[in-house]
Amino acid sequence: MIADKLKHSEIKTENDSDKLIVEKVFSHKQEHVFRWWNDLTINEQENLLDQLRLIDFTLLQDLIEKHIEGDNLTSPETTTLEPPDIIPIPQNDSQKTRSDEARKIGDNAIGTGTVAVVTVAGGLGTRLGANRPKGTLTISPIMGKSVFQLHAEKIKAMMKKYDTVIPWYIMTSLNNDEMTQNFFEENLFFGLDSDNVSFFTQGVLPVIDLQGKLLMDSKSSIVTSPNGHGGTLLALKERGILSNMNERGIKHIFYHQVDNILIKIADPAYLGYHISAGAKMSPKVVQKTDPEEKVGIVGIRDGHLDTIEYSELSKEERHAINPDGSLKFRMGNPAIYLLDVDFVENINESHFTLPYHKAVKKVPCIDENGCKIKPSENNAAKFEMFIFDALKHAGKSIIMEVVREDEFSPVKNAEGKDSPDTAKQSMINMFGKWLKGVGVEIPKDEVGNVKGTIEISPLYALDAEELKEKIDQKIVFTGELNLQ
Ligand code: UTP
């Protein structure tokens, strides 16, 4: 059958519902997906129809019109961009007092069981290319613990410290949900009570070629991709997580991305500032390493708090400086947020409005002859929502600066910048800093990395303060130290 000549009457189906979906596909000019219909088994035909049934064709049509056919009509001009007010890293006494006060409020929120953790782990990890969920990567410097184990131990340690329950919700996507859940089961949930760990899958969107046609993975399936970390807000509602949170009395969600190895789970001072300001969604920020670092920044765009992607900043904006010589737009976005449950509810109720962003990529698929191809050039458009687009709906936010070396080291690439190697080194360096703080001599090399290996389990100490209470300060570092 030649796709161009296909008629929907040629696609024999079992019932009216199947017939309807076939008609819909034809009416949206995507009938090429039935090119091999007569070669498919009944099961394969059903699978294809099931996949097609899940597509929101109206949304797909909008995306095609906006991003494929009307490429030049997008992105209205930004009129103003200003740096936001930031809660600084406490340096002087009054800042330290404020931080201590905030911390008490945060301690209370955690202690009374109103805080949950949401970890987003639904991404494909294409740059890393590990073919397994990022959370299952072996990462700790001595014990070889996985990313998930480190997060789990932080949550466990927090629950012990506050004598409370901190429910943990992990967002996966269809491509990695089973592997993720199996990993937790095989590892007995890393000592957490499985009743307090939940998984929920995010939505997917079809991937299209650069002419707006659905790409196919096989003769009976289309290519789909997760709908971006912004899909968390939708999935929290659709998968019943918000209801579960309400039943448990959760008010605040600590959101982080699975690949940040240094994440400080549910930082109490951050919570305290957020709660006392009556904020609804609050980002942490870290200093950019240099004006050209390719990270989004947090700024006030046209009067609204927003995250501005690196590519959207002009060269002048990237290099603009304050009178004291510091970068004007220097607050990078490590993708750490506090979100109130009622805010996530409201954003869903007032019909969900996060925009979709297009990413043009090389996506394996089958060609017109049904042969698998691995393209060397970009051949496909994927669409994703970004969590930070919710910021402008929050009404009230606080923005808190934190020390980058203490809280942000993501695993994005297999090697070089932001890789498993840099993540391990950043853990070692942070532990070295904690140890130095309690008087242990820690040698460093010429670029400032600790010479040697250190691992401190979250179950031993969650931060420098806890380390101080526990450690024998006469300890001598001889190149390897493992505190579990
Ligand atoms: P990234 O944008 O870095 O994507 O996601 P990624 O999938 O990890 O890696 P690449 O871009 O394919 O190489 C940042 C975080 O957001 C999560 C990821 O799991 C990661 O924790 N994420 C991303 C989702 O949960 N869902 C998505 O659809 C996209």
Side-chain angles (χ1 to χ4, degrees), residues 225-461:
S225 185
N227 61 359
H229 38 66
T232 315
L233 302 181
L234 204 55
L236 282 171
K237 170 82 180 170
E238 287 180 347
R239 306 279 179 256
I241 302 297
L242 291 180
S243 311
N244 185 278
M245 287 178 172
N246 279 325
E247 278 161 25
R248 287 170 174 260
I250 300 298
K251 303 255 175 288
H252 315 288
I253 298 169
F254 176 79
Y255 165 102
H256 76 106
Q257 305 193 331
V258 70
D259 53 16
N260 180 7
I261 300 307
L262 297 186
I263 190 71
K264 189 169 178 183
I265 300 276
D267 172 359
Y270 175 38
L271 267 161
Y273 281 120
H274 171 87
I275 293 168
S276 55
K280 292 293 162 192
M281 176 173 180
S282 297
K284 277 191 172 180
V285 289
V286 294
Q287 299 256 3
K288 282 177 69 162
T289 51
D290 63 87
E292 292 298 333
E293 191 193 10
K294 290 192 166 80
V295 292
I297 58 116
V298 176
I300 307 283
R301 177 155 69 176
D302 297 338
H304 294 283
L305 185 65
D306 205 352
T307 295
I308 297 96
E309 289 184 76
Y310 167 85
S311 56
E312 292 172 31
L313 285 176
S314 65
K315 191 164 183 209
E316 289 70 42
E317 285 166 338
R318 291 201 296 274
H319 290 264
I321 49 170
N322 292 315
D324 66 1
S326 59
L327 269 187
K328 188 168 179 194
F329 300 109
R330 66 183 184 286
M331 290 307 170
N333 169 30
I336 304 168
Y337 298 99
L338 282 170
L339 295 135
D340 277 10
V341 172
D342 62 0
F343 169 63
V344 183
E345 267 166 352
N346 287 343
I347 209 168
N348 276 288
E349 268 152 32
S350 58
H351 62 90
F352 198 79
T353 51
L354 295 192
Y356 284 90
H357 299 254
K358 178 177 79 168
V360 175
K361 305 221 164 159
K362 300 182 192 91
V363 176
C365 57
I366 56 167
D367 65 13
E368 292 169 357
N369 304 313
C371 303
K372 201 94 191 156
I373 50 168
K374 234 180 152 186
S376 53
E377 301 289 325
N378 287 335
N379 65 325
K382 290 183 175 185
F383 297 97
E384 293 193 347
M385 288 180 278
F386 296 158
I387 184 92
F388 52 72
D389 282 324
L391 264 182
K392 55 171 90 68
H393 301 286
K396 185 96 192 144
S397 305
I398 57 104
I399 304 137
M400 179 169 149
E401 184 186 348
V402 293
V403 179
R404 184 174 177 138
E405 297 68 30
D406 294 349
E407 302 204 23
F408 184 52
S409 180
V411 178
K412 299 287 182 195
N413 307 305
E415 327 183 303
K417 188 177 187 291
D418 296 340
S419 62
D421 283 349
T422 58
K424 274 182 203 161
Q425 190 62 54
S426 62
M427 275 187 266
I428 295 173
N429 289 348
M430 185 182 73
F431 298 143
K433 190 170 154 188
W434 293 1
L435 286 161
K436 192 159 177 268
V438 295
V440 181
E441 194 69 38
I442 302 289
K444 293 209 182 147
D445 66 14
E446 60 289 352
V447 290
N449 286 329
V450 168
K451 278 194 198 165
T453 316
I454 312 171
E455 179 163 336
I456 302 178
S457 166
L459 299 170
Y460 185 89

Side-chain angles (χ1 to χ4, degrees), residues 44 49 110 158 178 196 210 217 293 298 457 461 468 482:
E44 287 171 332
L49 291 178
I110 301 169
M158 290 286 284
E178 204 182 323
N196 296 325
L210 301 178
D217 214 10
E293 191 193 10
V298 176
S457 166
K468 205 172 190 172
N482 186 6

Side-chain angles (χ1 to χ4, degrees), residues 120-127 134 171 202 226 228-229 257-258 412:
V120 295
L124 298 176
T126 331
R127 285 167 286 172
K134 271 187 190 175
M171 186 172 81
Q202 68 179 115
H229 38 66
Q257 305 193 331
V258 70
K412 299 287 182 195

